[in-house]
Amino acid sequence: GPKPAISLSADGSRLSLAGEMGFGTTRLIRDALRRHPGIKGVELDSPGGSAAEGFALSRLVRERDLDTYVRSDCASACVVVFASGRERLAAPSARFGLHRSGVEWQRGDREVSPTDQAMAQLFRERGVADEFIVKVLETPFRNLWQPTMSEVMESRLATGKWMDAAG
């Protein structure tokens, strides 16, 4: 399956994950954290990928008490990981995309699934506003809701602005 590129920031304080999150993504991040024990956060640039990997990486981020950062795109399973950060910082250029879970081969669109319920519960635990969660659960898998930066901040999906996103 697809694997994202993992790299270390210039200052050595965060890992960068770029690309689709396929099977093994969490292992890649865990291995990088072992090699670089001073990591304080993970920068995400991903269209999403496997919900199972998103939830596994989300657990790792919470266990390690890491901050999460987005400067460009974070959609689907990536948002589950972002929401798990101790601090969740979004640059003014960040774009988020959310929808219910699903798979490409599935015909039609399902109702809220156990995966969607787990995502909603995670968002609630992380302090995301109920109105935001409802909007996510109203968005079918084949659609993508792209909230404005104001909605991201007001909902507390992001806990702050990432002003040092230049490098």
Side-chain angles (χ1 to χ4, degrees):
K3 301 264 190 316
I6 309 296
S7 59
L8 186 62
S9 66
D11 67 1
S13 69
R14 51 180 197 282
L15 293 175
S16 174
L17 179 155
E20 188 174 344
M21 295 187 296
F23 181 73
T25 298
T26 304
R27 181 181 45 76
L28 290 173
I29 295 290
R30 185 177 287 116
D31 291 348
L33 289 169
R34 269 192 217 113
R35 287 191 308 276
H36 306 285
I39 296 297
K40 304 283 187 238
V42 179
E43 180 180 346
L44 302 161
D45 180 4
S46 174
S50 162
E53 280 296 326
F55 281 106
L57 187 49
S58 163
R59 280 190 297 280
L60 181 61
V61 164
R62 289 190 317 268
E63 287 168 6
R64 298 288 179 102
D65 201 28
L66 299 172
D67 294 332
T68 51
Y69 304 84
V70 171
R71 92 172 72 222
S72 53
D73 296 316
C74 184
S76 197
C78 177
V79 182
V80 170
V81 179
F82 178 74
S84 298
R86 183 181 63 83
E87 289 292 329
R88 303 181 297 272
L89 303 176
S93 56
R95 294 176 305 272
F96 293 89
L98 299 107
H99 59 88
R100 287 196 311 266
S101 64
V103 288
E104 286 300 326
W105 52 263
Q106 182 180 346
R107 288 186 170 181
D109 196 9
R110 305 175 314 193
E111 295 300 315
V112 174
S113 71
T115 300
D116 300 325
Q117 292 169 353
M119 175 183 60
Q121 181 61 32
L122 172 73
F123 287 174
R124 277 187 206 96
E125 289 170 2
R126 305 309 289 173
V128 177
D130 284 335
E131 302 81 34
F132 190 90
I133 296 168
V134 166
K135 186 107 178 190
V136 174
L137 295 177
E138 290 174 346
T139 306
F141 169 68
R142 296 197 186 282
N143 294 351
L144 193 66
W145 173 47
Q146 295 180 291
T148 65
M149 188 51 67
S150 292
E151 289 171 313
V152 167
M153 299 306 287
E154 290 167 9
S155 71
R156 295 210 26 90
L157 175 63
T159 58
K161 292 183 180 176
W162 186 24
M163 300 313 287
D164 186 33

mmCIF file of all heavy atoms in Angstrom, residues 109-127:
data_model
loop_
_atom_site.group_PDB
_atom_site.id
_atom_site.type_symbol
_atom_site.label_atom_id
_atom_site.label_comp_id
_atom_site.label_asym_id
_atom_site.label_seq_id
_atom_site.Cartn_x
_atom_site.Cartn_y
_atom_site.Cartn_z
ATOM 1 N N ASP A 109 -23.927 5.358 -0.438
ATOM 2 C CA ASP A 109 -23.291 5.921 0.739
ATOM 3 C C ASP A 109 -24.017 5.394 1.958
ATOM 4 O O ASP A 109 -25.243 5.360 2.003
ATOM 5 C CB ASP A 109 -23.344 7.447 0.684
ATOM 6 C CG ASP A 109 -22.368 8.081 1.656
ATOM 7 O OD1 ASP A 109 -21.541 7.354 2.229
ATOM 8 O OD2 ASP A 109 -22.451 9.294 1.837
ATOM 9 N N ARG A 110 -23.261 4.982 2.929
ATOM 10 C CA ARG A 110 -23.840 4.433 4.147
ATOM 11 C C ARG A 110 -24.241 5.537 5.108
ATOM 12 O O ARG A 110 -23.886 6.684 4.946
ATOM 13 C CB ARG A 110 -22.815 3.562 4.854
ATOM 14 C CG ARG A 110 -22.247 2.477 4.025
ATOM 15 C CD ARG A 110 -21.174 1.772 4.785
ATOM 16 N NE ARG A 110 -20.293 2.765 5.409
ATOM 17 C CZ ARG A 110 -19.130 2.503 5.930
ATOM 18 N NH1 ARG A 110 -18.677 1.295 5.934
ATOM 19 N NH2 ARG A 110 -18.383 3.441 6.465
ATOM 20 N N GLU A 111 -24.891 5.098 6.125
ATOM 21 C CA GLU A 111 -25.176 5.988 7.245
ATOM 22 C C GLU A 111 -23.933 6.009 8.138
ATOM 23 O O GLU A 111 -22.919 5.414 7.819
ATOM 24 C CB GLU A 111 -26.404 5.473 8.012
ATOM 25 C CG GLU A 111 -27.684 5.519 7.184
ATOM 26 C CD GLU A 111 -28.039 6.922 6.742
ATOM 27 O OE1 GLU A 111 -27.961 7.856 7.560
ATOM 28 O OE2 GLU A 111 -28.374 7.090 5.566
ATOM 29 N N VAL A 112 -24.037 6.654 9.262
ATOM 30 C CA VAL A 112 -22.931 6.756 10.208
ATOM 31 C C VAL A 112 -22.507 5.347 10.650
ATOM 32 O O VAL A 112 -23.329 4.552 11.095
ATOM 33 C CB VAL A 112 -23.339 7.619 11.417
ATOM 34 C CG1 VAL A 112 -22.269 7.623 12.477
ATOM 35 C CG2 VAL A 112 -23.649 9.042 10.955
ATOM 36 N N SER A 113 -21.221 5.054 10.498
ATOM 37 C CA SER A 113 -20.674 3.732 10.805
ATOM 38 C C SER A 113 -19.992 3.733 12.175
ATOM 39 O O SER A 113 -19.774 4.802 12.768
ATOM 40 C CB SER A 113 -19.647 3.364 9.738
ATOM 41 O OG SER A 113 -18.489 4.171 9.899
ATOM 42 N N PRO A 114 -19.598 2.556 12.662
ATOM 43 C CA PRO A 114 -18.814 2.516 13.898
ATOM 44 C C PRO A 114 -17.506 3.324 13.782
ATOM 45 O O PRO A 114 -17.076 3.944 14.753
ATOM 46 C CB PRO A 114 -18.537 1.016 14.097
ATOM 47 C CG PRO A 114 -19.712 0.342 13.436
ATOM 48 C CD PRO A 114 -20.015 1.205 12.233
ATOM 49 N N THR A 115 -16.890 3.333 12.606
ATOM 50 C CA THR A 115 -15.682 4.139 12.396
ATOM 51 C C THR A 115 -15.999 5.623 12.556
ATOM 52 O O THR A 115 -15.248 6.365 13.192
ATOM 53 C CB THR A 115 -15.080 3.861 11.005
ATOM 54 O OG1 THR A 115 -14.745 2.474 10.920
ATOM 55 C CG2 THR A 115 -13.847 4.710 10.743
ATOM 56 N N ASP A 116 -17.133 6.052 11.985
ATOM 57 C CA ASP A 116 -17.547 7.454 12.119
ATOM 58 C C ASP A 116 -17.833 7.791 13.579
ATOM 59 O O ASP A 116 -17.480 8.881 14.042
ATOM 60 C CB ASP A 116 -18.809 7.721 11.295
ATOM 61 C CG ASP A 116 -18.617 7.445 9.826
ATOM 62 O OD1 ASP A 116 -17.516 7.678 9.301
ATOM 63 O OD2 ASP A 116 -19.589 6.978 9.183
ATOM 64 N N GLN A 117 -18.464 6.864 14.294
ATOM 65 C CA GLN A 117 -18.763 7.099 15.712
ATOM 66 C C GLN A 117 -17.470 7.222 16.516
ATOM 67 O O GLN A 117 -17.372 8.061 17.412
ATOM 68 C CB GLN A 117 -19.655 5.989 16.257
ATOM 69 C CG GLN A 117 -21.047 6.023 15.656
ATOM 70 C CD GLN A 117 -21.860 4.792 15.981
ATOM 71 O OE1 GLN A 117 -21.374 3.823 16.554
ATOM 72 N NE2 GLN A 117 -23.133 4.814 15.597
ATOM 73 N N ALA A 118 -16.469 6.388 16.173
ATOM 74 C CA ALA A 118 -15.175 6.470 16.869
ATOM 75 C C ALA A 118 -14.497 7.812 16.582
ATOM 76 O O ALA A 118 -13.897 8.418 17.477
ATOM 77 C CB ALA A 118 -14.275 5.306 16.446
ATOM 78 N N MET A 119 -14.598 8.286 15.327
ATOM 79 C CA MET A 119 -14.022 9.582 14.975
ATOM 80 C C MET A 119 -14.720 10.697 15.761
ATOM 81 O O MET A 119 -14.064 11.570 16.331
ATOM 82 C CB MET A 119 -14.165 9.837 13.470
ATOM 83 C CG MET A 119 -13.705 11.212 13.029
ATOM 84 S SD MET A 119 -13.967 11.511 11.267
ATOM 85 C CE MET A 119 -15.755 11.339 11.137
ATOM 86 N N ALA A 120 -16.039 10.651 15.806
ATOM 87 C CA ALA A 120 -16.803 11.668 16.538
ATOM 88 C C ALA A 120 -16.427 11.668 18.020
ATOM 89 O O ALA A 120 -16.252 12.730 18.628
ATOM 90 C CB ALA A 120 -18.302 11.435 16.358
ATOM 91 N N GLN A 121 -16.279 10.473 18.598
ATOM 92 C CA GLN A 121 -15.901 10.368 20.008
ATOM 93 C C GLN A 121 -14.508 10.953 20.247
ATOM 94 O O GLN A 121 -14.291 11.688 21.209
ATOM 95 C CB GLN A 121 -15.954 8.905 20.464
ATOM 96 C CG GLN A 121 -15.603 8.714 21.924
ATOM 97 C CD GLN A 121 -16.551 9.435 22.863
ATOM 98 O OE1 GLN A 121 -17.735 9.596 22.571
ATOM 99 N NE2 GLN A 121 -16.046 9.911 23.991
ATOM 100 N N LEU A 122 -13.568 10.651 19.355
ATOM 101 C CA LEU A 122 -12.224 11.219 19.474
ATOM 102 C C LEU A 122 -12.279 12.744 19.415
ATOM 103 O O LEU A 122 -11.678 13.430 20.240
ATOM 104 C CB LEU A 122 -11.317 10.685 18.358
ATOM 105 C CG LEU A 122 -9.952 11.362 18.266
ATOM 106 C CD1 LEU A 122 -9.055 10.920 19.418
ATOM 107 C CD2 LEU A 122 -9.288 11.072 16.945
ATOM 108 N N PHE A 123 -13.015 13.278 18.450
ATOM 109 C CA PHE A 123 -13.146 14.731 18.333
ATOM 110 C C PHE A 123 -13.724 15.323 19.614
ATOM 111 O O PHE A 123 -13.247 16.343 20.099
ATOM 112 C CB PHE A 123 -14.017 15.108 17.132
ATOM 113 C CG PHE A 123 -13.370 14.926 15.777
ATOM 114 C CD1 PHE A 123 -14.115 15.121 14.630
ATOM 115 C CD2 PHE A 123 -12.035 14.573 15.626
ATOM 116 C CE1 PHE A 123 -13.549 14.975 13.368
ATOM 117 C CE2 PHE A 123 -11.450 14.423 14.383
ATOM 118 C CZ PHE A 123 -12.210 14.621 13.253
ATOM 119 N N ARG A 124 -14.767 14.684 20.168
ATOM 120 C CA ARG A 124 -15.370 15.183 21.416
ATOM 121 C C ARG A 124 -14.339 15.191 22.541
ATOM 122 O O ARG A 124 -14.239 16.160 23.297
ATOM 123 C CB ARG A 124 -16.569 14.325 21.828
ATOM 124 C CG ARG A 124 -17.833 14.689 21.143
ATOM 125 C CD ARG A 124 -19.041 13.930 21.707
ATOM 126 N NE ARG A 124 -20.014 13.851 20.653
ATOM 127 C CZ ARG A 124 -20.169 12.818 19.816
ATOM 128 N NH1 ARG A 124 -19.440 11.726 19.963
ATOM 129 N NH2 ARG A 124 -21.061 12.849 18.862
ATOM 130 N N GLU A 125 -13.600 14.086 22.673
ATOM 131 C CA GLU A 125 -12.589 13.982 23.726
ATOM 132 C C GLU A 125 -11.513 15.053 23.582
ATOM 133 O O GLU A 125 -10.933 15.478 24.580
ATOM 134 C CB GLU A 125 -11.928 12.594 23.695
ATOM 135 C CG GLU A 125 -12.852 11.490 24.164
ATOM 136 C CD GLU A 125 -12.277 10.096 23.894
ATOM 137 O OE1 GLU A 125 -11.136 9.987 23.378
ATOM 138 O OE2 GLU A 125 -12.990 9.128 24.204
ATOM 139 N N ARG A 126 -11.250 15.489 22.364
ATOM 140 C CA ARG A 126 -10.220 16.490 22.108
ATOM 141 C C ARG A 126 -10.782 17.915 22.176
ATOM 142 O O ARG A 126 -10.074 18.878 21.916
ATOM 143 C CB ARG A 126 -9.560 16.246 20.752
ATOM 144 C CG ARG A 126 -8.989 14.838 20.567
ATOM 145 C CD ARG A 126 -8.082 14.392 21.674
ATOM 146 N NE ARG A 126 -6.817 15.114 21.646
ATOM 147 C CZ ARG A 126 -5.892 15.034 22.566
ATOM 148 N NH1 ARG A 126 -6.061 14.266 23.616
ATOM 149 N NH2 ARG A 126 -4.788 15.724 22.457
ATOM 150 N N GLY A 127 -12.072 18.041 22.514
ATOM 151 C CA GLY A 127 -12.661 19.356 22.732
ATOM 152 C C GLY A 127 -13.225 20.028 21.495
ATOM 153 O O GLY A 127 -13.528 21.226 21.518
#
